C-alpha cells in the first residue's frame, strides 16, 4: 500500500495564542513536525498539509460563535494567524511536506478533501495521481477538521487511519462523539488524542 500522511490545519490561529486556540496545539505541532521529518520518504510516499484559507466563509465566522459550526474570525488569507505554527513551519518548508491544500475561502470547509493546491488540484485527485491508497490523518482539531478529513477520505475510497497521538481536540464530549463517528465509518484509530478542556 502506498500511504500518505495528511497534516490538518497546524496553523497559528488553532494553537495557544491564536484566535481559536486548541489547548495542546503547539505541543502537537512540534510532535507532528518530528513525525514528518522522521517518516518522509520512507513510511510515507508523500506528506501533505492542509490550511484553512478564509476570505469570506459566511456564517462560519460569527460574533456569537457556537464553537461547533461557527467560530471567531480565524485563518484569514494573508493574516499571521493563517500561517503554519512555528513548531511545524520548518518541516513544511524543508521539503518534508510535498504539497499544501487550501480550503474554505468562501465556506466553512472543514475537510481537507475540500481543499485544493494553489493551482486548483483537489486533494483526492492529487493522491490518486500518485497511486496513494491509504492515508494517515493528524492535526488540529480532532473533533472538527481532523474528523471531517478522515471521514471524507474514507468516503473517497482511501484506507484511513487517524493517529490520535498527533491530534488535539477542542472538548471531551465532541472528541468522544467524533471518535465514535470515525469508528462507525471504518476509520482505524491509534493512540489517544490530547484533550485539555
Amino acid at each position: 500500500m502506498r500511504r500518505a500522511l495528511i497534516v490538518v490545519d497546524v496553523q497559528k490561529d488553532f494553537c495557544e495564542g491564536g484566535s481559536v486556540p486548541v489547548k495542546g496545539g503547539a505541543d502537537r505541532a512540534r510532535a507532528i513536525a518530528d513525525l514528518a521529518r522522521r517518516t518522509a520518504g520512507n513510511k510515507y510516499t508523500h506528506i501533505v498539509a492542509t490550511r484553512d484559507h478564509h476570505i469570506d466563509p459566511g456564517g462560519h465566522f460569527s460574533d456569537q460563535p457556537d464553537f461547533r459550526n461557527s467560530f471567531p474570525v480565524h485563518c484569514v488569507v494573508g493574516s499571521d494567524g493563517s500561517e503554519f505554527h512555528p513548531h511545524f513551519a520548518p518541516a513544511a518548508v524543508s521539503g518534508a511536506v510535498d504539497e499544501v491544500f487550501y480550503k474554505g475561502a468562501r465556506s466553512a470547509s472543514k475537510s481537507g478533501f475540500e481543499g485544493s493546491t494553489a493551482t486548483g488540484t483537489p486533494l483526492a485527485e492529487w493522491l490518486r495521481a500518485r497511486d496513494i491508497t491509504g492515508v494517515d490523518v493528524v492535526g488540529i482539531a480532532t473533533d472538527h477538521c481532523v474528523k471531517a478529513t478522515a471521514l471524507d477520505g474514507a468516503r473517497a475510497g482511501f484506507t484511513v487511519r487517524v493517529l490520535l497521538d498527533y491530534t488535539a481536540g477542542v472538548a471531551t464530549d465532541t472528541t468522544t462523539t467524533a471518535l465514535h463517528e470515525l469508528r462507525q465509518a471504518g476509520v482505524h484509530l491509534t493512540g489517544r488524542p490530547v484533550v485539555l478542556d
Side-chain angles (χ1 to χ4, degrees):
M1 178 182 292
R2 290 170 62 86
R3 185 171 289 276
L5 178 68
I6 303 175
V7 179
V8 177
D9 299 358
V10 182
Q11 293 166 265
K12 291 181 181 180
D13 270 347
F14 296 134
C15 297
E16 293 85 346
S19 63
V20 190
V22 178
K23 292 180 182 177
D27 179 67
R28 295 301 82 198
R30 190 189 312 276
I32 291 167
D34 180 62
L35 175 69
R37 290 188 191 99
R38 287 187 289 106
T39 58
N42 48 68
K43 181 176 181 179
Y44 296 111
T45 308
H46 292 287
I47 297 176
V48 301
T50 71
R51 282 176 62 170
D52 256 17
H53 194 69
H54 296 309
I55 297 171
D56 180 14
H60 186 56
F61 285 172
S62 174
D63 292 332
Q64 297 179 323
D66 62 15
F67 293 95
R68 293 183 185 238
N69 296 305
S70 60
F71 297 86
V73 174
H74 61 276
C75 297
V76 173
V77 173
S79 70
D80 185 62
S82 72
E83 299 298 322
F84 287 127
H85 189 275
H87 293 339
F88 177 68
V93 301
S94 69
V97 173
D98 298 303
E99 188 59 87
V100 178
F101 293 81
Y102 301 90
K103 60 188 179 67
R106 301 188 185 280
S107 68
S109 193
K110 290 185 178 181
S111 169
F113 281 91
E114 296 175 272
S116 300
T117 64
T119 57
T121 303
L123 176 55
E125 180 181 322
W126 192 95
L127 293 170
R128 289 191 183 108
R130 289 153 181 82
D131 298 319
I132 299 297
T133 55
V135 296
D136 287 356
V137 183
V138 300
I140 306 170
T142 317
D143 37 351
H144 292 282
C145 295
V146 169
K147 177 189 80 170
T149 300
L151 290 175
D152 276 358
R155 291 185 193 107
F158 297 96
T159 300
V160 182
R161 297 188 300 204
V162 175
L163 310 185
L164 295 173
D165 289 338
Y166 298 93
T167 70
V170 172
T172 299
D173 61 339
T174 51
T175 298
T176 299
T177 299
L179 300 187
H180 175 72
E181 291 178 46
L182 291 166
R183 289 188 188 99
Q184 290 294 105
V187 173
H188 183 66
L189 307 177
T190 69
R192 300 179 64 183
V194 171
V195 182
L196 300 173
D197 63 350

